[in-house]
Amino acid sequence: MKFKDKTRQKIGIIGGGQLGKMMILEAKKMGFYVTILDPTKKCPAHSIADQHLIADFDDKAAIRKLAEKSDLITYEFEHIGVEVLKELESEEYKIYPTARSLEIIQNKYHQKNVLKQDKIAVPEFKKVSSPDDIKEAAQELGYPLMLKSCTGGYDGKGNALIDSQDKVEEAFRELGVGKIQLMVEKYIPFKKEISIIAARGLSGGMKVYPIGENNHRENILYETKVPAEISAELEEKAEDFAREVLKVFDGIGIFCVEMFVTEDGELLVNEIAPRPHNSGHYTIEGCVTSQFEQHIRAITGLPLGDTALLRPTVMRNIIGSGEEGKAEVIGLEPALAVKGVKVHIYQKTISRSGRKMGHLTVTADSLDQASERALEASQFIEIKGEKN
Amino acid sequence: MKFKDKTRQKIGIIGGGQLGKMMILEAKKMGFYVTILDPTKKCPAHSIADQHLIADFDDKAAIRKLAEKSDLITYEFEHIGVEVLKELESEEYKIYPTARSLEIIQNKYHQKNVLKQDKIAVPEFKKVSSPDDIKEAAQELGYPLMLKSCTGGYDGKGNALIDSQDKVEEAFRELGVGKIQLMVEKYIPFKKEISIIAARGLSGGMKVYPIGENNHRENILYETKVPAEISAELEEKAEDFAREVLKVFDGIGIFCVEMFVTEDGELLVNEIAPRPHNSGHYTIEGCVTSQFEQHIRAITGLPLGDTALLRPTVMRNIIGSGEEGKAEVIGLEPALAVKGVKVHIYQKTISRSGRKMGHLTVTADSLDQASERALEASQFIEIKGEKN
């Protein structure tokens, strides 16, 4: 190892959004130097990064520059061209998670194939490239079907639910008329969606966090409750899946594994994210070591930290409401007056409807108490576009 | 109130050391803009502050500039000339804690007088200005005596223990030969030193933290254990003292009240600090709301947060060792491998013997467990001047 004092490693982060910001807040506690690459001058992380390369995410020269300025690179979102990362890796630059992990995960079809081959249960799926393909798949999987673009989707974007054969053409047109790779998945009428945050360090150790139970609205996560109310058996199975995912993708850093608990109690992996995840924000206040500190420890070769839950915890997102405009925080005071509430404001300059603008977390002696308080606080606070 | 969205208030901090840094880490979670004033270009807070005025602490024009750039000013240490703060307050600039609080507290004689008048128990004390004064005071208070400079001391600097009449002249010479105000205090052979962090918000609310038990070595704090092992009766008395201190000094923000528990179970206030304090670092991991977040909430007019202790917590300082030189962190990995350990590195460029370079905190199910783990980790980690 080049660094006797590992805090001297310079960290480069592709992306300066809220995840990058929260990584930096942890990295700074231990004194790391951090450079971000983000096209937005006033992105959430800009004011606490040591350096900010203002460049597009597909600017290969800029990503190379970031690598040259850093001892290791990580990223806060998965939609990055992997070619440049592979090239840099071949020149011995350190990138965590590796370009190979990222390449498989960013294509949902490849991701699911790897999981399936590894005997990790996933919803049935098929690659499709025409309306006829979709109709043929439906004969096997039945309606409703989820049509998904294999790359680039998030928060439900890039997905279309097809409930009958009449809707096939429309959904196909909506998702890009065959210009991008598509797949269909059997629709899972799940009982619960859970997710598990897991970490693997450069030194090989592995840590799994308590399981969170997620609630979505219009395809955007709005609430995570921890611990999830599931059987011990399912819990164990989910943990096994998470460990297996880290192994099969050779994961370094934080990974999030989202899963469905089906009506008949089966566990199916829905999606993998090779990074700290919105459903793991609860770890900042809820666990001994947050997912962001854990990520920094993992990728800098430091020992992983304790993932124990301190108290039942509920996280709720603060989603932009109203018109697009300069972000204004309303109702922070009554929200903070609710016992145990912590508020995170991402400092996005512009608020728009559906945009993740912040989140709040409540820890309490019981999950019911935390839920009630989180709901109460979330009814007070709002971030919206300011009228001129 | 001028700000409907209180996160838009710009905060100015006099001082960019570790306390300033930890204030900013909390302020940034809620999206505040922060400017620091510190003469050291690479001071601990420099890389996460939005702006850094590089100026001496006695540079009145620079402090005025900080006030002009900020909606409110706070400070991380008490040795600031109050004249400029008073002047700025008279021009309606906001300074918290107020210049009046600071002025009384920064003179230990005035501080003790106010406490005594308010019926808060303090060790007996007298102002002195010559060796003869000290000898005369000794007739009443007895030896050993603590000779203290009334202003400017910290970490035991500015104090001298006089154990017999022979040492009076020497101690008097050591502390400035009458150039600065001096006082003597009855020496208290205390059983425990405890401290209590308390906060008062702009809106008037008050919150008191769990009591910490402090251990010193060569006059520098090296360990705080929470909860302190004291009787419920003493606990209540200490809390009453803390609340009374906030009231009598009209405190806004975090105050720390250090107290002695004497051999015969009496409680005496030793010193007040009008700011987040080293003995309150445990609150970052140990409590729902850290002292730094609480300070930011208090001075920006937000509601105060829950001060509940999550688990027994032990904090140990990481004090510079060896020769002066470029700071190097040794043994971070084995320290972080101890369960529940969190390490804070202040990013001071230069390490020297006795300098506070970082701290570590352990939370655990029992105080004994936390103590053992903190001790173990602190035996691994070291920050020292690098040899060239």
Side-chain angles (χ1 to χ4, degrees):
Chain A
M1 193 68 190
K2 194 175 143 200
F3 292 92
K4 204 169 69 179
D5 174 356
K6 288 192 173 168
T7 67
R8 294 211 184 147
Q9 294 172 91
K10 291 185 175 178
I11 300 170
I13 306 175
I14 304 175
Q18 66 266 28
L19 302 178
K21 179 186 171 187
M22 291 186 274
M23 283 183 204
I24 299 176
L25 287 173
E26 293 293 352
K28 284 291 166 191
K29 283 187 187 162
M30 290 191 278
F32 287 101
Y33 185 98
V34 184
T35 305
I36 56 168
L37 183 154
D38 196 289
T40 305
K41 190 164 176 265
K42 296 216 163 179
C43 62
H46 90 282
S47 77
I48 52 172
D50 290 278
Q51 275 191 70
H52 180 181
L53 302 179
I54 298 175
D56 283 325
F57 297 127
D58 58 5
D59 180 339
K60 291 183 183 180
I63 290 180
R64 173 167 289 276
K65 199 169 159 193
L66 181 70
E68 285 163 358
K69 282 177 176 293
S70 311
D71 296 300
L72 59 105
I73 279 189
T74 189
Y75 38 88
E76 60 146 23
F77 72 115
E78 52 271 44
H79 306 306
I80 310 166
V82 284
E83 296 71 26
V84 58
L85 300 185
K86 281 177 156 179
E87 210 176 281
L88 289 168
E89 271 182 352
S90 75
E91 298 167 34
E92 312 268 298
Y93 288 102
K94 308 290 179 207
I95 295 159
Y96 306 116
T98 63
R100 183 192 156 269
S101 304
L102 179 62
E103 187 174 29
I104 301 167
I105 288 169
Q106 67 184 192
N107 184 306
K108 286 179 193 164
Y109 180 72
H110 295 158
Q111 186 193 121
K112 285 266 158 74
N113 253 327
V114 167
L115 293 169
K116 195 178 165 186
Q117 277 161 26
D118 200 53
K119 312 252 183 288
I120 296 172
V122 294
E124 288 177 67
F125 65 98
K126 278 191 180 309
K127 195 188 259 187
V128 292
S129 53
S130 69
D132 282 346
D133 281 357
I134 300 172
K135 288 172 195 166
E136 201 188 307
Q139 288 180 6
E140 204 185 314
L141 308 178
Y143 291 105
L145 264 185
M146 280 300 283
L147 181 65
K148 290 185 169 184
S149 52
C150 295
T151 54
Y154 70 98
D155 286 351
K157 290 177 184 74
N159 290 358
L161 186 67
I162 304 176
D163 52 14
S164 68
Q165 188 163 319
D166 309 348
K167 304 283 172 66
V168 168
E169 304 279 348
E170 186 189 332
F172 186 73
R173 268 198 308 276
E174 195 187 312
L175 290 200
V177 210
K179 264 175 289 180
I180 46 171
Q181 259 187 54
L182 297 175
M183 64 190 284
V184 285
E185 261 182 28
K186 190 178 164 78
Y187 176 74
I188 307 296
F190 58 84
K191 212 168 60 184
K192 279 176 194 290
E193 202 222 81
I194 60 172
S195 65
I196 185 161
I197 304 289
R200 187 146 157 272
L202 269 174
S203 45
M206 231 184 251
K207 291 272 185 186
V208 166
Y209 280 85
I211 299 168
E213 194 171 322
N214 301 322
N215 291 310
H216 290 80
R217 210 175 268 158
E218 291 166 16
N219 293 308
I220 303 175
L221 178 73
Y222 76 90
E223 184 184 47
T224 301
K225 295 178 172 192
V226 193
E229 286 171 319
I230 55 170
S231 67
E233 194 193 339
L234 271 183
E235 200 178 310
E236 204 179 311
K237 199 168 181 185
E239 288 176 8
D240 287 346
F241 275 0
R243 286 199 188 87
E244 198 52 38
V245 161
L246 284 175
K247 268 186 233 158
V248 70
F249 290 109
D250 199 17
I252 299 293
I254 287 282
F255 276 60
C256 174
V257 186
E258 287 183 287
M259 297 175 237
F260 296 133
V261 179
T262 66
E263 299 286 359
D264 43 3
E266 222 190 331
L267 198 65
L268 299 174
V269 170
N270 177 36
E271 235 168 84
I272 312 291
R275 54 168 172 81
H277 190 265
N278 194 166
S279 66
H281 290 358
Y282 82 89
T283 60
I284 299 176
E285 287 86 5
C287 295
V288 175
T289 311
S290 81
Q291 64 168 348
F292 299 102
E293 176 178 346
Q294 198 74 292
H295 188 67
I296 298 297
R297 288 187 185 215
I299 63 175
T300 58
L302 292 169
L304 298 180
D306 188 2
T307 56
L309 189 70
L310 293 162
R311 297 206 295 185
T313 306
V314 174
M315 186 284 310
R316 288 181 80 103
N317 272 335
I318 304 169
I319 309 282
S321 59
E323 284 168 51
E324 181 162 333
K326 198 179 163 201
E328 189 178 31
V329 182
I330 313 282
L332 178 61
E333 288 160 84
L336 284 176
V338 177
K339 193 169 183 184
V341 170
K342 314 293 287 285
V343 172
H344 299 252
I345 310 276
Y346 300 153
Q347 292 175 276
K348 293 181 184 176
T349 317
I350 300 298
S351 173
R352 74 178 72 92
S353 178
R355 195 173 193 202
K356 289 177 180 169
M357 300 302 292
H359 75 267
L360 62 87
T361 308
V362 184
T363 63
D365 291 330
S366 74
L367 191 58
D368 281 349
Q369 210 172 54
S371 294
E372 270 168 39
R373 290 175 184 163
L375 176 63
E376 191 189 350
S378 74
Q379 285 168 340
F380 288 124
I381 198 167
E382 199 184 349
I383 303 184
K384 58 180 194 176
E386 200 177 10
K387 288 184 195 79
N388 289 321
Chain B
M1 192 69 190
K2 194 175 142 200
F3 293 91
K4 205 170 66 177
D5 174 356
K6 288 192 174 168
T7 68
R8 293 209 184 146
Q9 294 172 92
K10 291 185 174 178
I11 300 170
I13 306 175
I14 304 176
Q18 66 266 27
L19 301 177
K21 179 185 170 188
M22 292 186 274
M23 282 183 205
I24 298 177
L25 286 173
E26 293 293 352
K28 285 292 168 189
K29 283 188 189 162
M30 289 190 279
F32 287 101
Y33 185 98
V34 185
T35 304
I36 55 169
L37 183 153
D38 196 289
T40 305
K41 190 164 176 266
K42 295 216 163 178
C43 62
H46 89 281
S47 77
I48 51 171
D50 290 277
Q51 276 191 73
H52 179 181
L53 303 179
I54 298 176
D56 284 326
F57 298 128
D58 58 5
D59 180 338
K60 291 184 184 178
I63 290 180
R64 173 169 288 276
K65 199 168 157 193
L66 181 70
E68 284 163 359
K69 281 177 177 294
S70 311
D71 296 300
L72 58 107
I73 278 189
T74 189
Y75 38 88
E76 58 147 26
F77 73 114
E78 51 272 45
H79 306 306
I80 310 165
V82 284
E83 296 70 25
V84 58
L85 300 185
K86 281 177 158 178
E87 210 176 281
L88 289 168
E89 270 181 351
S90 76
E91 298 169 35
E92 313 268 299
Y93 288 102
K94 308 288 178 209
I95 296 158
Y96 306 117
T98 63
R100 183 193 155 269
S101 304
L102 179 62
E103 185 174 31
I104 302 167
I105 288 169
Q106 67 183 193
N107 184 305
K108 286 179 192 165
Y109 180 74
H110 295 160
Q111 185 192 122
K112 285 265 157 72
N113 253 329
V114 168
L115 293 170
K116 194 177 164 186
Q117 279 162 24
D118 200 52
K119 311 251 184 289
I120 296 173
V122 293
E124 287 177 69
F125 64 98
K126 277 191 181 308
K127 196 187 259 186
V128 292
S129 53
S130 69
D132 282 346
D133 281 357
I134 299 173
K135 289 172 195 164
E136 200 188 307
Q139 288 179 7
E140 204 183 314
L141 308 178
Y143 290 105
L145 263 185
M146 281 300 283
L147 180 66
K148 291 185 168 183
S149 53
C150 295
T151 53
Y154 70 99
D155 285 350
K157 292 179 184 71
N159 288 0
L161 185 67
I162 304 175
D163 51 14
S164 70
Q165 188 161 320
D166 309 349
K167 303 286 175 63
V168 168
E169 304 279 348
E170 187 190 331
F172 186 73
R173 271 198 306 277
E174 196 187 309
L175 290 199
V177 210
K179 265 176 289 181
I180 45 171
Q181 256 188 56
L182 297 173
M183 64 189 283
V184 286
E185 259 182 28
K186 190 178 165 76
Y187 176 75
I188 306 297
F190 57 85
K191 213 169 57 183
K192 280 176 195 289
E193 202 222 82
I194 60 172
S195 65
I196 187 161
I197 304 288
R200 187 146 157 272
L202 269 175
S203 44
M206 231 184 252
K207 290 272 184 186
V208 167
Y209 280 84
I211 298 167
E213 194 171 322
N214 301 322
N215 290 309
H216 290 80
R217 211 176 265 159
E218 292 166 16
N219 293 309
I220 302 176
L221 179 73
Y222 76 89
E223 185 184 48
T224 301
K225 294 176 173 194
V226 192
E229 286 171 320
I230 55 170
S231 68
E233 194 193 338
L234 270 182
E235 200 180 308
E236 204 179 310
K237 199 168 179 184
E239 289 175 8
D240 286 347
F241 275 0
R243 286 200 190 86
E244 197 54 36
V245 160
L246 284 175
K247 266 186 236 159
V248 69
F249 291 109
D250 199 16
I252 298 294
I254 287 282
F255 276 60
C256 173
V257 185
E258 287 183 287
M259 296 175 235
F260 297 133
V261 179
T262 67
E263 300 285 0
D264 43 2
E266 221 190 333
L267 197 65
L268 299 174
V269 169
N270 177 35
E271 233 167 87
I272 311 292
R275 54 168 172 80
H277 190 264
N278 195 166
S279 66
H281 289 356
Y282 82 87
T283 59
I284 299 175
E285 287 87 4
C287 295
V288 175
T289 310
S290 82
Q291 64 170 345
F292 299 102
E293 176 178 344
Q294 197 74 291
H295 188 67
I296 298 296
R297 287 187 185 214
I299 64 176
T300 58
L302 291 170
L304 298 179
D306 188 3
T307 56
L309 188 69
L310 292 162
R311 298 206 293 185
T313 305
V314 174
M315 185 285 310
R316 287 182 82 102
N317 272 335
I318 305 170
I319 309 283
S321 58
E323 287 168 49
E324 181 161 332
K326 198 179 162 201
E328 189 177 31
V329 182
I330 313 282
L332 178 61
E333 288 159 83
L336 284 177
V338 178
K339 194 170 180 182
V341 170
K342 313 295 289 284
V343 172
H344 299 252
I345 311 276
Y346 301 153
Q347 293 175 275
K348 293 180 184 178
T349 317
I350 300 298
S351 173
R352 74 178 70 93
S353 179
R355 194 171 195 205
K356 289 177 181 169
M357 300 303 292
H359 75 267
L360 62 85
T361 308
V362 184
T363 62
D365 292 330
S366 74
L367 191 58
D368 281 348
Q369 211 173 52
S371 293
E372 272 168 37
R373 290 177 184 162
L375 176 63
E376 192 190 349
S378 74
Q379 285 167 342
F380 287 124
I381 198 166
E382 202 184 347
I383 302 184
K384 59 181 194 177
E386 197 177 12
K387 288 183 194 81
N388 290 322

